[in-house]
Short mmCIF file of all heavy atoms in Angstrom, two decimals:
data_model
loop_
_atom_site.label_atom_id
_atom_site.label_comp_id
_atom_site.label_asym_id
_atom_site.label_seq_id
_atom_site.Cartn_x
_atom_site.Cartn_y
_atom_site.Cartn_z
N ASP Y 113 63.68 92.63 120.93
CA ASP Y 113 63.89 92.63 119.49
C ASP Y 113 63.21 93.84 118.85
O ASP Y 113 63.71 94.38 117.86
CB ASP Y 113 63.35 91.34 118.86
CG ASP Y 113 64.25 90.14 119.13
OD1 ASP Y 113 65.41 90.34 119.56
OD2 ASP Y 113 63.80 89.00 118.90
N THR Y 114 62.07 94.24 119.40
CA THR Y 114 61.37 95.42 118.88
C THR Y 114 62.26 96.66 118.98
O THR Y 114 62.38 97.42 118.01
CB THR Y 114 60.05 95.64 119.65
OG1 THR Y 114 59.24 94.47 119.52
CG2 THR Y 114 59.30 96.86 119.13
N LEU Y 115 62.91 96.83 120.13
CA LEU Y 115 63.78 98.00 120.29
C LEU Y 115 65.04 97.86 119.42
O LEU Y 115 65.50 98.86 118.85
CB LEU Y 115 64.16 98.20 121.76
CG LEU Y 115 64.93 99.48 122.06
CD1 LEU Y 115 64.19 100.72 121.55
CD2 LEU Y 115 65.19 99.61 123.54
N ILE Y 116 65.56 96.66 119.28
CA ILE Y 116 66.70 96.44 118.37
C ILE Y 116 66.30 96.90 116.97
O ILE Y 116 67.06 97.61 116.30
CB ILE Y 116 67.13 94.96 118.35
CG1 ILE Y 116 67.68 94.51 119.70
CG2 ILE Y 116 68.12 94.68 117.22
CD1 ILE Y 116 69.08 94.98 120.03
N ASN Y 117 65.12 96.49 116.51
CA ASN Y 117 64.65 96.87 115.18
C ASN Y 117 64.50 98.39 115.04
O ASN Y 117 64.86 98.96 114.01
CB ASN Y 117 63.32 96.18 114.85
CG ASN Y 117 63.48 94.69 114.64
OD1 ASN Y 117 64.56 94.21 114.28
ND2 ASN Y 117 62.42 93.95 114.87
N ILE Y 118 64.00 99.03 116.08
CA ILE Y 118 63.85 100.49 116.07
C ILE Y 118 65.23 101.15 115.96
O ILE Y 118 65.42 102.09 115.18
CB ILE Y 118 63.10 100.98 117.33
CG1 ILE Y 118 61.64 100.58 117.26
CG2 ILE Y 118 63.24 102.49 117.50
CD1 ILE Y 118 60.88 100.77 118.56
N MET Y 119 66.18 100.65 116.73
CA MET Y 119 67.53 101.23 116.70
C MET Y 119 68.21 101.02 115.35
O MET Y 119 68.86 101.93 114.83
CB MET Y 119 68.38 100.67 117.84
CG MET Y 119 67.94 101.17 119.21
SD MET Y 119 69.02 100.57 120.51
CE MET Y 119 70.51 101.51 120.17
N VAL Y 120 68.07 99.81 114.79
CA VAL Y 120 68.67 99.57 113.48
C VAL Y 120 68.07 100.53 112.46
O VAL Y 120 68.79 101.15 111.67
CB VAL Y 120 68.52 98.09 113.04
CG1 VAL Y 120 68.88 97.91 111.58
CG2 VAL Y 120 69.38 97.19 113.92
N LYS Y 121 66.77 100.69 112.50
CA LYS Y 121 66.10 101.61 111.57
C LYS Y 121 66.59 103.04 111.77
O LYS Y 121 66.83 103.77 110.82
CB LYS Y 121 64.59 101.52 111.74
CG LYS Y 121 63.82 102.26 110.70
CD LYS Y 121 62.33 102.00 110.81
CE LYS Y 121 61.62 102.69 109.67
NZ LYS Y 121 60.19 102.42 109.67
N LYS Y 122 66.76 103.45 113.02
CA LYS Y 122 67.20 104.80 113.35
C LYS Y 122 68.63 105.07 112.87
O LYS Y 122 68.93 106.16 112.38
CB LYS Y 122 67.10 105.02 114.86
CG LYS Y 122 67.78 106.23 115.41
CD LYS Y 122 66.84 107.39 115.47
CE LYS Y 122 67.53 108.59 116.11
NZ LYS Y 122 67.04 109.81 115.56
N PHE Y 123 69.52 104.09 113.02
CA PHE Y 123 70.94 104.31 112.74
C PHE Y 123 71.39 103.71 111.40
O PHE Y 123 72.57 103.76 111.08
CB PHE Y 123 71.79 103.80 113.90
CG PHE Y 123 71.55 104.60 115.15
CD1 PHE Y 123 70.73 104.12 116.15
CD2 PHE Y 123 72.13 105.85 115.31
CE1 PHE Y 123 70.50 104.87 117.30
CE2 PHE Y 123 71.91 106.61 116.45
CZ PHE Y 123 71.08 106.11 117.45
N ASP Y 124 70.45 103.18 110.63
CA ASP Y 124 70.74 102.66 109.29
C ASP Y 124 70.58 103.79 108.29
O ASP Y 124 69.49 104.09 107.84
CB ASP Y 124 69.77 101.51 108.98
CG ASP Y 124 69.88 101.01 107.56
OD1 ASP Y 124 70.85 101.36 106.86
OD2 ASP Y 124 68.99 100.24 107.15
N ARG Y 125 71.68 104.42 107.97
CA ARG Y 125 71.68 105.61 107.13
C ARG Y 125 71.12 105.39 105.73
O ARG Y 125 70.53 106.28 105.12
CB ARG Y 125 73.10 106.16 107.04
CG ARG Y 125 73.16 107.57 106.62
CD ARG Y 125 74.55 108.15 106.58
NE ARG Y 125 75.53 107.50 107.42
CZ ARG Y 125 76.82 107.72 107.32
NH1 ARG Y 125 77.28 108.55 106.43
NH2 ARG Y 125 77.67 107.11 108.11
N TYR Y 126 71.31 104.19 105.18
CA TYR Y 126 70.92 103.95 103.79
C TYR Y 126 69.69 103.05 103.64
O TYR Y 126 69.32 102.70 102.52
CB TYR Y 126 72.11 103.39 103.00
CG TYR Y 126 73.24 104.38 102.95
CD1 TYR Y 126 74.42 104.15 103.64
CD2 TYR Y 126 73.11 105.57 102.25
CE1 TYR Y 126 75.45 105.08 103.61
CE2 TYR Y 126 74.14 106.51 102.22
CZ TYR Y 126 75.30 106.24 102.90
OH TYR Y 126 76.31 107.17 102.87
N GLY Y 127 69.07 102.66 104.75
CA GLY Y 127 67.83 101.91 104.69
C GLY Y 127 67.96 100.48 104.18
O GLY Y 127 67.01 99.94 103.62
N ASN Y 128 69.12 99.86 104.39
CA ASN Y 128 69.28 98.48 103.93
C ASN Y 128 69.43 97.48 105.08
O ASN Y 128 69.91 96.37 104.88
CB ASN Y 128 70.45 98.35 102.93
CG ASN Y 128 71.73 98.97 103.44
OD1 ASN Y 128 71.81 99.36 104.59
ND2 ASN Y 128 72.73 99.06 102.58
N GLY Y 129 69.01 97.87 106.28
CA GLY Y 129 69.00 96.95 107.41
C GLY Y 129 70.33 96.71 108.07
O GLY Y 129 70.49 95.73 108.79
N THR Y 130 71.30 97.59 107.82
CA THR Y 130 72.62 97.43 108.42
C THR Y 130 73.11 98.77 108.96
O THR Y 130 72.62 99.83 108.58
CB THR Y 130 73.64 96.90 107.40
OG1 THR Y 130 73.74 97.82 106.32
CG2 THR Y 130 73.24 95.53 106.88
N ILE Y 131 74.10 98.69 109.83
CA ILE Y 131 74.68 99.88 110.45
C ILE Y 131 76.16 99.93 110.11
O ILE Y 131 76.89 98.96 110.31
CB ILE Y 131 74.48 99.83 111.98
CG1 ILE Y 131 72.99 99.77 112.33
CG2 ILE Y 131 75.13 101.04 112.64
CD1 ILE Y 131 72.71 99.59 113.80
N LEU Y 132 76.60 101.07 109.58
CA LEU Y 132 78.01 101.28 109.24
C LEU Y 132 78.81 101.59 110.50
O LEU Y 132 78.24 101.90 111.56
CB LEU Y 132 78.14 102.42 108.24
CG LEU Y 132 77.44 102.21 106.90
CD1 LEU Y 132 77.48 103.49 106.08
CD2 LEU Y 132 78.08 101.06 106.16
N PHE Y 133 80.12 101.56 110.38
CA PHE Y 133 81.02 101.78 111.51
C PHE Y 133 80.71 103.06 112.26
O PHE Y 133 80.53 103.05 113.49
CB PHE Y 133 82.47 101.77 111.01
CG PHE Y 133 83.48 102.21 112.04
CD1 PHE Y 133 83.58 101.56 113.26
CD2 PHE Y 133 84.32 103.28 111.79
CE1 PHE Y 133 84.51 101.96 114.21
CE2 PHE Y 133 85.25 103.69 112.72
CZ PHE Y 133 85.34 103.03 113.94
N ASP Y 134 80.63 104.19 111.56
CA ASP Y 134 80.42 105.47 112.24
C ASP Y 134 79.04 105.54 112.89
O ASP Y 134 78.88 106.10 113.97
CB ASP Y 134 80.65 106.64 111.28
CG ASP Y 134 79.99 106.51 109.94
OD1 ASP Y 134 79.61 105.39 109.55
OD2 ASP Y 134 79.86 107.53 109.24
N ASP Y 135 78.04 104.94 112.25
CA ASP Y 135 76.70 104.93 112.82
C ASP Y 135 76.63 103.98 114.02
O ASP Y 135 75.85 104.20 114.95
CB ASP Y 135 75.68 104.55 111.76
CG ASP Y 135 75.68 105.52 110.58
OD1 ASP Y 135 75.79 106.73 110.83
OD2 ASP Y 135 75.60 105.06 109.43
N PHE Y 136 77.44 102.93 114.01
CA PHE Y 136 77.54 102.01 115.14
C PHE Y 136 78.07 102.74 116.37
O PHE Y 136 77.53 102.59 117.47
CB PHE Y 136 78.45 100.83 114.76
CG PHE Y 136 78.68 99.83 115.86
CD1 PHE Y 136 77.69 98.96 116.27
CD2 PHE Y 136 79.93 99.74 116.47
CE1 PHE Y 136 77.91 98.02 117.27
CE2 PHE Y 136 80.16 98.80 117.47
CZ PHE Y 136 79.15 97.94 117.87
N ILE Y 137 79.10 103.55 116.18
CA ILE Y 137 79.63 104.35 117.28
C ILE Y 137 78.52 105.24 117.83
O ILE Y 137 78.28 105.29 119.04
CB ILE Y 137 80.83 105.22 116.85
CG1 ILE Y 137 82.02 104.37 116.45
CG2 ILE Y 137 81.22 106.20 117.97
CD1 ILE Y 137 83.17 105.16 115.84
N GLN Y 138 77.84 105.94 116.93
CA GLN Y 138 76.78 106.86 117.37
C GLN Y 138 75.68 106.11 118.12
O GLN Y 138 75.25 106.55 119.19
CB GLN Y 138 76.19 107.58 116.16
CG GLN Y 138 75.14 108.60 116.56
CD GLN Y 138 74.49 109.26 115.36
OE1 GLN Y 138 74.81 108.98 114.22
NE2 GLN Y 138 73.55 110.13 115.62
N ALA Y 139 75.23 104.98 117.59
CA ALA Y 139 74.17 104.21 118.24
C ALA Y 139 74.58 103.80 119.65
O ALA Y 139 73.81 103.94 120.61
CB ALA Y 139 73.82 102.97 117.41
N CYS Y 140 75.80 103.31 119.79
CA CYS Y 140 76.27 102.84 121.10
C CYS Y 140 76.46 104.00 122.08
O CYS Y 140 76.12 103.88 123.26
CB CYS Y 140 77.56 102.05 120.93
SG CYS Y 140 77.32 100.49 120.05
N VAL Y 141 76.99 105.12 121.60
CA VAL Y 141 77.18 106.28 122.47
C VAL Y 141 75.83 106.84 122.92
O VAL Y 141 75.64 107.16 124.10
CB VAL Y 141 78.04 107.36 121.78
CG1 VAL Y 141 78.00 108.68 122.55
CG2 VAL Y 141 79.47 106.88 121.60
N VAL Y 142 74.88 106.93 122.00
CA VAL Y 142 73.54 107.44 122.35
C VAL Y 142 72.88 106.50 123.36
O VAL Y 142 72.33 106.96 124.37
CB VAL Y 142 72.67 107.64 121.09
CG1 VAL Y 142 71.21 107.84 121.44
CG2 VAL Y 142 73.18 108.82 120.27
N LEU Y 143 72.94 105.20 123.11
CA LEU Y 143 72.33 104.24 124.04
C LEU Y 143 72.97 104.34 125.42
O LEU Y 143 72.27 104.37 126.44
CB LEU Y 143 72.44 102.82 123.50
CG LEU Y 143 71.85 101.72 124.38
CD1 LEU Y 143 70.35 101.94 124.61
CD2 LEU Y 143 72.11 100.35 123.75
N HIS Y 144 74.29 104.42 125.46
CA HIS Y 144 74.99 104.54 126.74
C HIS Y 144 74.60 105.84 127.47
O HIS Y 144 74.34 105.83 128.68
CB HIS Y 144 76.50 104.49 126.53
CG HIS Y 144 77.28 104.76 127.76
ND1 HIS Y 144 77.45 103.83 128.77
CD2 HIS Y 144 77.92 105.88 128.19
CE1 HIS Y 144 78.16 104.36 129.75
NE2 HIS Y 144 78.46 105.60 129.41
N THR Y 145 74.55 106.93 126.73
CA THR Y 145 74.21 108.23 127.32
C THR Y 145 72.79 108.23 127.87
O THR Y 145 72.54 108.69 129.00
CB THR Y 145 74.39 109.36 126.29
OG1 THR Y 145 75.74 109.33 125.80
CG2 THR Y 145 74.09 110.72 126.87
N LEU Y 146 71.84 107.71 127.10
CA LEU Y 146 70.45 107.65 127.56
C LEU Y 146 70.30 106.72 128.76
O LEU Y 146 69.58 107.02 129.71
CB LEU Y 146 69.54 107.19 126.42
CG LEU Y 146 69.36 108.17 125.27
CD1 LEU Y 146 68.62 107.52 124.11
CD2 LEU Y 146 68.67 109.44 125.73
#
Side-chain angles (χ1 to χ4, degrees):
D113 285 346
T114 302
L115 187 55
I116 295 284
N117 291 335
I118 290 169
M119 290 183 70
V120 168
K121 188 173 184 177
K122 167 92 176 147
F123 295 101
D124 173 12
R125 199 177 336 167
Y126 297 110
N128 51 8
T130 60
I131 300 175
L132 299 172
F133 170 57
D134 47 342
D135 300 319
F136 178 72
I137 295 172
Q138 183 184 359
C140 293
V141 168
V142 167
L143 180 60
H144 173 77
T145 303
L146 291 171

